[in-house]
Amino acid sequence: MVPMNFWLLALGAVWVGVGVFVLIDRERVLRWSQKHLRRSVGEVGESVAAAGKPDHMTGPGIGAIVIGALVILQGLNIL
């Protein structure tokens, strides 16, 4: 029997938690990402940030949950 990797389990749980947070509070995450786009990218970031909608945060939220699930499976030595 191969032992579990507890660090990967913890990392996967954090990823799943981040994904759930993004899906629950899409409006706040959108405002946060718009703020950083405006600050970091400049004029292009301003136009991208202006076009953002809370529904655009669904993809990153689901992606974080999938990444977390894969990391958990890796930590359990299933993958």
Side-chain angles (χ1 to χ4, degrees):
M1 183 173 152
V2 179
M4 295 184 299
N5 188 338
F6 292 107
W7 292 109
L8 282 178
L9 291 174
L11 180 63
V14 168
W15 272 107
V16 170
V18 167
V20 168
F21 174 75
V22 168
L23 289 177
I24 288 174
D25 204 0
R26 291 182 293 189
E27 185 71 34
R28 182 187 300 178
V29 175
L30 176 68
R31 285 193 313 264
W32 179 82
S33 66
Q34 286 174 333
K35 179 179 82 172
H36 288 283
L37 271 172
R38 289 183 180 112
R39 184 184 305 163
S40 306
V41 183
E43 190 174 316
V44 174
E46 179 71 34
S47 63
V48 170
K53 297 177 185 162
D55 291 339
H56 294 155
M57 292 290 111
T58 303
I62 292 172
I65 291 173
V66 168
I67 289 171
L70 290 173
V71 171
I72 288 173
L73 291 175
Q74 184 70 34
L76 293 173
N77 292 321
I78 294 175
L79 291 179

